[in-house]
Amino acid sequence: MNVQHHRPTATATPPDIRLVVTDMDGTLLDGDGNVPDSLWPLLTELRDRGIAFCPASGRQYATLAGQFGAVDDGGMVYVAENGAYVVRGGAELSSDPLEPAVVEWIVKSMRQLVDEGGVDAGVVVCGKRSAYVERSDEAFMKQVRTYYAAHEIVEDAAAVEDEFVKVALFDFGSAQETTAPLLAPLADTHQVVVSSHHWIDVMNPAANKGAAVRRLQDALGITPAQTMVFGDYRNDLEMLDTADWSYAMANAHPDVLARARLRAPANTENGVVRTVRDVLGLAVQA
């Protein structure tokens, strides 16, 4: 049965939490898409207590590193590209690449859908070094820049020299209704995940945030009972299964609300920071 509040049953001492993992958009970030200022002092307190903090996002590594680089002492782990690329201290911990032939099929199929079907959408081929796009209009590039700090406009996104870890499709309409059917042939062999109303991602079948977090737990010797996880959308589902302290944000997708054990206030109410402080018995910052 899911607990309908974010605060656990009171205990004499705080639980032995060693790892805090959080999604970004719709979870940690506020309503304007910014990291809440209250996170920075919390990160210092977590570090002082030997608690690892890990952003886990569909965003690329370069974007996450840019957001947290100023406070990263080299020990922060980034679960990027929905788990397909995991980096710590600038070094790769794990990755689950996509086959080049699959990337080429998606890119060509997307071109055909746009040209013949009149769909207003674009493709982002996500490599370890950069993201690659063929569409260059400002409306599309505004979306790309939000999630992919390192990006290049190229003639053929499937032909660049890089190792691909994800293909993301942005649909100005509904990704579920318009672009998801295009990817139906891959549903049985790859991870095809609607990560928001406008975005849908294709990854290696072994890649998801949950698999990445389990590898991280193994590497650090941390158990699910020592792990807190926060999420709001369907690309967070597997990740919720890695933690006894699994939280769905109040604004979460119904599938996430059904999967998580606990609830946190909405991202617009600073739910992640408030919940971590509450569970660990840390003083609320003025």
Side-chain angles (χ1 to χ4, degrees):
M1 179 180 295
N2 288 315
V3 179
Q4 299 301 313
H5 51 80
H6 75 278
R7 185 169 187 167
T9 303
T11 57
T13 58
D16 180 27
I17 299 298
R18 303 290 179 87
L19 174 64
V20 176
V21 184
T22 179
D23 172 56
M24 295 290 285
D25 298 274
T27 301
L28 175 65
L29 304 186
D30 63 23
D32 295 321
N34 298 316
V35 176
D37 290 339
S38 58
L39 178 69
W40 309 122
L42 175 62
L43 293 185
T44 299
E45 293 178 74
L46 293 180
R47 185 180 297 115
D48 290 345
R49 287 165 173 76
I51 300 172
F53 176 83
C54 173
S57 175
R59 296 175 179 231
Q60 71 177 170
Y61 165 63
T63 302
L64 295 175
Q67 290 174 294
F68 292 96
V71 296
D72 185 359
D73 61 356
M76 188 177 292
V77 180
Y78 302 93
V79 172
E81 308 288 13
N82 279 327
Y85 191 39
V86 182
V87 178
R88 184 184 190 188
E92 176 181 322
L93 286 185
S94 67
S95 64
D96 294 292
L98 270 173
E99 309 95 313
V102 172
V103 174
E104 183 178 11
W105 180 86
I106 297 171
V107 170
K108 289 182 177 179
S109 298
M110 190 65 175
R111 289 177 193 153
Q112 185 175 3
L113 183 66
V114 171
D115 293 342
E116 299 178 6
V119 174
D120 190 6
V123 64
V124 183
V125 173
C126 307
K128 292 182 178 180
R129 183 173 60 83
S130 179
Y132 307 94
V133 299
E134 298 175 354
R135 182 170 169 172
S136 60
D137 59 284
E138 178 56 27
F140 178 67
M141 291 306 300
K142 180 179 180 181
Q143 302 298 327
V144 172
R145 287 192 295 268
T146 299
Y147 302 98
Y148 302 97
H151 59 268
E152 298 177 21
I153 300 171
V154 297
E155 184 175 347
D156 186 347
V160 296
E161 292 294 326
D162 203 340
E163 190 169 12
F164 305 133
V165 291
K166 188 183 74 178
V167 176
L169 307 179
F170 179 82
D171 193 322
F172 282 91
S174 167
Q176 181 68 58
E177 296 176 5
T178 307
T179 50
L182 171 75
L183 303 173
L186 298 176
D188 293 334
T189 57
H190 291 75
Q191 289 279 350
V192 180
V193 182
V194 178
S195 56
S196 74
H197 181 70
H198 297 290
W199 287 98
I200 185 166
D201 300 329
V202 181
M203 299 174 293
N204 182 297
N208 61 66
K209 292 183 182 181
V213 172
R214 290 191 191 283
R215 290 175 188 156
L216 176 58
Q217 289 170 321
D218 290 344
L220 299 179
I222 292 173
T223 68
Q226 296 171 317
T227 305
M228 295 180 73
V229 166
F230 297 85
D232 79 299
Y233 215 78
R234 296 182 67 191
N235 59 328
D236 299 319
L237 289 172
E238 294 88 353
M239 184 170 71
L240 296 171
D241 299 336
T242 68
D244 289 3
W245 299 80
S246 62
Y247 288 86
M249 310 308 289
N251 52 287
H253 187 283
D255 290 351
V256 176
L257 293 169
R259 189 89 154 243
R261 296 180 178 220
L262 299 157
R263 300 285 180 270
N267 68 307
T268 53
E269 299 175 1
N270 201 19
V272 171
V273 173
R274 289 172 56 192
T275 301
V276 172
R277 286 195 171 279
D278 189 22
V279 171
L280 297 182
L282 303 176
V284 176
Q285 297 291 309

